[in-house]
Amino acid sequence: MRILIVEDEEKLCGILSRGLKSEGFAVDLAHDGLQGLELATSYTYDLIVLDVQLPKMTGTQLLQRLRQRDHYVPVLMLTARDAVSDKVVHFEAGADDYLTKPFSFAELLVRIKALMRRGPVQRSDSLKIADLEIDRLSRQVKRAGKRIELSPKEYALLEYLALNTGRVLSRTMIIEHVWDQSFEGLTNIVDVYVKQLRTKLDADYDKKLIKTSRGVGYTLTDEAAA
Ligand code: CA
């Protein structure tokens, strides 16, 4: 899951970015409205955290531009004000939720998870593929009822594959959603993580859920390999 944070307060940006990365999200940062708009229209994000008071273009203007261009990515607005009229303005501009500063990181995380669940693609609290169960609230993964321990990145990779069950995902797509813009490593990072995931998820079972499409990428599917 890839998140864009548009926030001009560097300290807050750093805290949010570190916190979200440690939760397994891929995070990109923009420090003014124009940069934010450029990133939001150039890449596919699963969610945008958007400050209202920004240099060059306000968060509200940025949001209006996005919605005018039919970008329906979930947007969580951050505002220093808490007047009811502001709330109305944000929702009218197309915000999905908003949070008044100062807020706790835990609160932000709860809101982000809630928005991602009801986002534009298939979202639900639990995902089930054959005997694999993923609880997106607690981030617990089970296979045939047996708990599987995953690192935050392994979980993020599995969740992305599971949200796109049956679809072949290229290494580039996976990197864009699970890692982030600053990631400049080798594309074989995906192969390394898929291998780790297979060891934990598929090795002990006859039915293999992660399939390789040679030269293309990977897919998580219930169906037998073609
Ligand atoms: Ca600001």
Side-chain angles (χ1 to χ4, degrees), residues 62-203:
L62 193 167
L63 181 58
Q64 283 166 339
R65 300 272 183 99
L66 273 187
R67 297 309 190 218
Q68 279 162 8
R69 296 184 194 184
D70 291 336
H71 281 268
Y72 293 110
V73 53
V75 171
L76 173 63
M77 302 278 289
L78 303 179
T79 172
R81 300 180 235 151
D82 58 356
V84 178
S85 58
D86 284 325
K87 201 174 183 177
V88 173
V89 169
H90 302 324
F91 282 123
E92 279 178 353
D96 297 279
D97 195 2
Y98 93 114
L99 205 51
T100 306
K101 293 178 185 175
F103 53 83
S104 70
F105 180 74
E107 176 66 18
L108 178 81
L109 198 58
V110 166
R111 304 285 189 103
I112 284 177
K113 286 181 178 174
L115 284 178
M116 284 190 156
R117 282 199 305 279
R118 66 157 221 238
V121 206
Q122 177 208 349
R123 309 285 181 205
S124 63
D125 291 350
S126 60
L127 300 168
K128 228 175 168 301
I129 297 100
D131 58 355
L132 174 72
E133 291 170 75
I134 303 169
D135 183 327
R136 302 182 69 205
L137 290 178
S138 63
R139 297 185 164 219
Q140 275 194 19
V141 177
K142 285 181 188 167
R143 179 117 199 231
K146 202 177 143 198
R147 179 89 182 266
I148 296 169
E149 299 292 340
L150 299 177
S151 71
K153 263 313 174 218
E154 289 166 352
Y155 175 84
L157 171 63
L158 176 63
E159 190 184 64
Y160 181 56
L161 287 167
L163 282 168
N164 292 281
T165 302
R167 279 179 68 195
V168 177
L169 303 172
S170 72
R171 288 170 181 80
T172 308
M173 286 166 81
I174 294 171
I175 284 181
E176 280 189 3
H177 283 265
V178 181
W179 279 268
D180 52 54
Q181 207 196 356
S182 61
F183 182 79
E184 284 172 6
L186 301 165
T187 49
N188 89 2
I189 186 84
V190 173
D191 303 313
V192 171
Y193 273 83
V194 166
K195 198 177 167 202
Q196 284 172 210
L197 203 52
R198 275 185 161 143
T199 306
K200 294 185 176 181
L201 211 70
D202 275 345

